[in-house]
Amino acid sequence: MNSRSKPRRAAAIVVLHFWACLASLLSLCLIVRADPLPEATNLWSFKFKLDPPANDTFSTPAVAPDGTIYVGAFDGSLIAFSPDGKQLWHFQTGREIKSSPAIADNGTIYFGTRDHQLYAVTPAGRLKWKFATGAWVDSSPAIAADGTIYFGSWDKNFYALNPDGSLKWKFPVGGIVDSSPAIAADGTIYFGSHNKKFYALDAAGKLRWTFLTQAEITSSPAIGDDGSIYFGSTDGNLYRLKPDGTETWRFRTGNGADGSPVLAENGNIIIAASHKTFILSPAGAMIWSLDSPVWIDQTPAVAQDTVCFPALGNQLYATRPDGTGAWWAHLGPDALSSSPVISNQGMIYFCCGRYLKALQPPVTLLPAKSPWPMFRANARHTGRVGSN
């Protein structure tokens, strides 16, 4: 290749990318305008006091059965809100929070921080205990039926804690764990690592099997009714494994899959990866996809007959299972920075950069009756099958 052809090729790639992005924008506009869609109502928003202000908040809100919303901010604070947006309390930690909180049956809130700790806080906002690891805790905890708390750390270990905060066991992974674990009906714990491996451990902390991908795994797994495990890898594939660790299929998503898959009531799989959102059949065939001009790594949420996912950066778009538009919401100047959560009261909560927002959909909306309809399985973020 001569020296003059290289810039021409680079220019051609830029032009092709421009037209691909324009085509995706036009396709979404055509979907919306073909039959004008109802718009969701922005009920309220709360501005986090972030320093520097350019920082976004990535923690996905968790919602208690009484409607209380808990979210971790990137300034290191865990904040509780009433359903009408009133701040109830504020709990300050020592560093940033990227981990999403999980709510136990007794109301205790568990979450990790970058001050190397996993915290347990009461529903009144008081510290119960904290457990120190050797590095950041970005992994969102999962809560087993017996109250055991599972999570990973950047110190390359995976932890199991008793409800009183004492160590139950520690499993050396050999790679960073910021993937959030998922607990199967039989108690098996699944998670990925930066060492390219996907792990299955039993409730006693013994290794059952590993599955090797070609790149880091930061995606959090979803678990189906039959025990199948779905997860993405930054090698650009979505994987479906059997409970014994053998591969059922893989689907090529593109340049990476930081986002986590969710499951619809009919068994379809939805994942946002790189610059696309995909709806796949249980057999791994693509049913529908939509391009995005911006990078997407937030996890979609599935309601009964509706899929909600970010589109065009600062919009939340809801489609029916066949991909036709249902409704949409304009989010303001900031793009979605956390995954959306659908509460049992029919509200949608999420973070947009410096804001926590509450949406009222234009139609009645309830979480899908599937084993894994949203990030961490349910609005409480237990990360466990059967706890919806």
Side-chain angles (χ1 to χ4, degrees):
M1 182 181 293
N2 61 47
S3 60
R4 286 186 296 177
S5 64
K6 290 182 179 180
R8 288 175 182 171
R9 185 178 180 185
I13 291 171
V14 170
V15 170
L16 286 172
H17 181 69
F18 168 79
W19 284 111
C21 291
L22 182 60
S24 66
L25 285 165
L26 289 174
S27 66
L28 184 56
C29 290
L30 286 172
I31 291 171
V32 172
R33 290 185 179 181
D35 183 14
L37 300 180
E39 186 174 357
T41 302
N42 285 283
L43 288 183
W44 54 263
S45 64
F46 174 86
K47 187 175 182 179
F48 298 107
K49 296 178 181 178
L50 301 181
D51 186 23
N55 281 335
D56 289 340
T57 289
F58 303 100
S59 175
T60 297
V63 187
D66 66 358
T68 303
I69 305 110
Y70 302 99
V71 65
F74 214 60
D75 67 356
S77 58
L78 181 76
I79 310 174
F81 297 89
S82 63
D84 61 1
K86 178 183 177 182
Q87 183 176 331
L88 301 177
W89 50 258
H90 169 284
F91 179 87
Q92 189 65 44
T93 71
R95 285 288 302 272
E96 304 92 341
I97 300 174
K98 194 174 181 182
S99 167
S100 297
I103 305 170
D105 290 341
N106 65 2
T108 301
I109 306 106
Y110 301 109
F111 63 98
T113 72
R114 290 188 169 181
D115 64 6
H116 304 182
Q117 310 277 345
L118 186 92
Y119 286 83
V121 174
T122 70
R126 297 184 178 88
L127 178 68
K128 288 184 73 171
W129 49 260
K130 58 183 177 178
F131 179 89
T133 73
W136 291 355
V137 181
D138 286 343
S139 173
S140 302
I143 307 172
D146 66 357
T148 301
I149 306 106
Y150 300 108
F151 67 98
S153 171
W154 280 65
D155 69 4
K156 303 181 181 181
N157 291 299
F158 187 81
Y159 294 87
L161 304 184
N162 294 305
D164 63 1
S166 59
L167 179 66
K168 191 170 187 177
W169 49 259
K170 179 172 70 172
F171 180 85
V173 177
I176 292 167
V177 182
D178 56 0
S179 166
S180 301
I183 307 171
D186 66 356
T188 302
I189 308 108
Y190 301 108
F191 62 93
S193 170
H194 284 213
N195 65 9
K196 308 178 184 180
K197 292 180 181 178
F198 188 79
Y199 288 81
L201 307 181
D202 68 18
K206 304 298 182 183
L207 179 66
R208 288 192 167 176
W209 49 260
T210 62
F211 180 88
L212 182 64
T213 71
Q214 299 304 307
E216 298 175 354
I217 303 171
T218 59
S219 168
S220 299
I223 303 173
D225 282 322
D226 63 353
S228 291
I229 310 104
Y230 305 85
F231 68 95
S233 170
T234 55
D235 67 10
N237 290 299
L238 172 68
Y239 294 87
R240 177 178 178 175
L241 306 184
K242 296 178 181 178
D244 63 4
T246 56
E247 182 179 335
T248 303
W249 51 254
R250 69 180 67 180
F251 177 85
R252 185 68 183 167
T253 59
N255 294 327
D258 293 327
S260 303
V262 292
L263 306 176
E265 292 177 355
N266 61 2
N268 286 346
I269 306 101
I270 303 95
I271 186 170
S274 181
H275 290 273
K276 276 193 174 183
T277 298
F278 299 92
I279 298 179
L280 309 179
S281 74
M286 188 175 72
I287 297 172
W288 179 84
S289 70
L290 181 68
D291 292 339
S292 169
V294 297
W295 185 273
I296 304 173
D297 56 11
Q298 293 83 22
T299 302
V302 186
Q304 295 171 13
D305 298 322
T306 309
V307 178
C308 306
F309 59 89
L312 306 182
N314 65 345
Q315 293 183 15
L316 189 70
Y317 189 58
T319 72
R320 300 176 183 89
D322 62 0
T324 58
W327 53 267
W328 71 289
H330 181 68
L331 308 180
D334 292 330
L336 204 73
S337 57
S338 82
S339 302
V341 58
I342 304 172
S343 75
N344 293 332
Q345 294 79 21
M347 305 297 296
I348 300 179
Y349 303 101
F350 51 88
C351 293
C352 278
R354 298 160 293 169
Y355 294 89
L356 171 67
K357 297 197 173 230
L359 277 188
Q360 174 66 66
V363 295
T364 301
L365 199 71
L366 292 174
K369 295 179 180 178
S370 80
W372 215 275
M374 66 187 83
F375 183 63
R376 313 304 299 129
N378 50 58
R380 287 170 50 208
H381 291 174
T382 59
R384 184 177 85 245
V385 168
S387 57
N388 292 357

